[in-house]
Amino acid sequence: MASGILILILVLLVVVIGAAALPYWAEARRRPMDEWERRDAPGTCVQLSQGVTHYQWHGAVRGPVAVCVHGLSTPSFVWNGLARALGAMGYRVLTYDLYGRGYSDRPEGSQNDDFFIKQLEDLLDDQEIEEDFTLFGYSMGGAIATVFAAKHPNRVRHLVLLASSGMVMTTDRATQFIRQKQGLGDWLMLALFPGRHRRGTEAERALLSSVPDIVDLQQRELHYRGFVPAVLSSLRGILSRELQDEHRTIHRAGVPVLAIWAREDDVIPLSAMGRLTEWSRDAWQEVIEDAGHGMTYTHTDQIAAILGERLRDGLN
């Protein structure tokens, strides 16, 4: 009898350990982002100080430069529609994959302000961009663009923020717990995020998009090792605080700011608009009424129309 109970306990222990190890096993089985995976990548890959960065130039051969920084979980292809529109306006458009996403490397370490600023500084140096440029940031990319502009206001001709983080961000209790708790939070992120990412992107499959097959491209990120940990590291890093000081610095430096918000955004609520007004009263702000958080690719034409007017007028 005792031996039977012992065997049952051992079996249950093995099951529990196996279940606990499953998310880590799944992550280990994902494909590494390496030269083989990059063989068909559009654009170019370059070795920078923190790892390989994938980038593309779009639009005009000559003209003012626009640099576009994407968000938390969707790589640089999120800009493809707007890049075409900006190119038609005469811009030379540089897009790139943040570390942990797309075809860029997955270096370890905290994905905080300094981490992302260094990647952008390295890329600008590599591409020999010495003149001032228009800096675009979407969602988390808005936070990255903001901290860069606060550090280098003389390099930024215009700062354009689309559904930008750094002011107000909606997070549920599970995400808050995962962000705050080391260890258990890591396990929960590996266990829960892939399913949530698939469901969230699948919910947009019926929407019109300026980026063909964007849902499949977004879900493809889950095939690669390091993507989920990168998202978690960003939640604990650059997305962990408000950027009041940075916005006030940008305001004092006189950098023109255009912020575009989505009325139906369930990630960055419209209350962020009021927060930005408090910190940067000269910022020009627009709202797209029927758009959600994916407005960069679902409402490209409306955004392009706003950009055409405001950038032409110098945001004055």
Side-chain angles (χ1 to χ4, degrees):
M1 183 67 176
S3 61
I5 294 175
L6 180 59
I7 291 173
L8 178 59
I9 292 173
L10 289 174
V11 170
L12 290 174
L13 184 61
V14 169
V15 170
V16 169
I17 293 174
L22 186 59
Y24 296 100
W25 177 81
E27 171 67 12
R29 282 180 55 83
R30 293 187 174 104
R31 302 200 297 266
M33 178 51 62
D34 55 21
E35 294 307 311
W36 174 256
E37 296 294 338
R38 296 184 180 108
R39 67 192 185 282
D40 297 323
T44 307
C45 293
V46 61
Q47 178 70 50
L48 302 178
S49 67
Q50 299 175 109
V52 172
T53 292
H54 168 251
Y55 69 91
Q56 283 184 273
W57 281 100
H58 313 254
V61 177
R62 294 182 177 84
V65 172
V67 179
C68 300
V69 189
H70 68 77
L72 178 65
S73 60
T74 303
S76 59
F77 56 73
V78 76
W79 293 107
N80 287 355
L82 270 176
R84 289 191 294 272
L86 288 169
M89 296 177 198
Y91 283 92
R92 299 166 53 214
V93 185
L94 176 63
T95 64
Y96 69 101
D97 289 334
L98 297 172
Y99 290 127
R101 291 91 174 164
Y103 293 103
S104 289
D105 269 351
R106 277 83 169 127
E108 296 182 356
S110 175
Q111 296 202 350
N112 55 21
D113 302 9
D114 293 339
F115 177 82
F116 286 119
I117 289 177
K118 180 60 175 172
Q119 183 184 19
L120 181 51
E121 289 173 340
D122 285 351
L123 182 60
L124 294 172
D125 289 345
D126 180 80
Q127 296 300 293
E128 299 181 347
I129 299 174
E130 298 178 353
E131 70 273 26
D132 60 355
F133 56 90
T134 297
L135 181 57
F136 287 77
Y138 167 53
S139 194
M140 183 182 79
I144 297 169
T146 297
V147 296
F148 181 91
K151 183 178 180 181
H152 301 290
N154 60 311
R155 302 190 69 177
V156 179
R157 180 179 300 183
H158 300 120
L159 176 62
V160 181
L161 304 174
L162 307 178
S164 177
S165 58
M167 284 149 278
V168 180
M169 184 173 178
T170 301
T171 53
D172 56 26
R173 289 183 178 180
T175 301
Q176 293 172 16
F177 182 89
I178 287 170
R179 173 186 282 169
Q180 295 167 4
K181 303 296 182 181
Q182 300 286 338
L184 180 56
D186 297 53
W187 184 88
L188 286 170
M189 185 70 176
L190 291 172
L192 299 179
F193 180 80
R196 298 180 71 173
H197 184 64
R198 290 189 187 93
R199 290 190 297 272
T201 53
E202 199 64 39
E204 291 191 338
R205 189 173 289 278
L207 299 179
L208 294 177
S209 173
S210 62
V211 181
D213 303 316
I214 189 167
V215 172
D216 294 331
L217 291 171
Q218 288 170 320
Q219 294 181 6
R220 182 176 179 265
E221 290 298 291
L222 293 171
H223 297 170
Y224 294 104
R225 192 183 310 154
F227 169 65
V228 178
V231 172
L232 176 58
S233 185
S234 292
L235 288 171
R236 291 173 173 169
I238 195 165
L239 293 176
S240 65
R241 65 183 183 91
E242 294 183 345
L243 301 177
Q244 176 177 349
D245 291 344
E246 286 79 2
H247 278 289
R248 292 192 184 280
T249 297
I250 292 166
H251 173 70
R252 289 194 298 269
V255 178
V257 177
L258 168 62
I260 304 177
W261 309 99
R263 176 74 67 181
E264 306 300 325
D265 197 332
D266 59 0
V267 177
I268 306 295
L270 204 57
S271 58
M273 185 177 182
R275 192 71 58 85
L276 181 59
T277 300
E278 294 176 14
W279 301 342
S280 181
R281 62 181 179 272
D282 293 334
W284 189 276
Q285 304 196 66
E286 300 274 358
V287 178
I288 299 180
E289 292 296 328
D290 59 342
H293 191 64
M295 66 173 179
T296 308
Y297 47 91
T298 62
H299 290 70
T300 306
D301 291 344
Q302 291 93 320
I303 293 173
I306 294 170
L307 297 177
E309 178 182 356
R310 295 302 171 193
L311 295 183
R312 179 192 64 209
D313 294 341
L315 304 183
N316 295 319

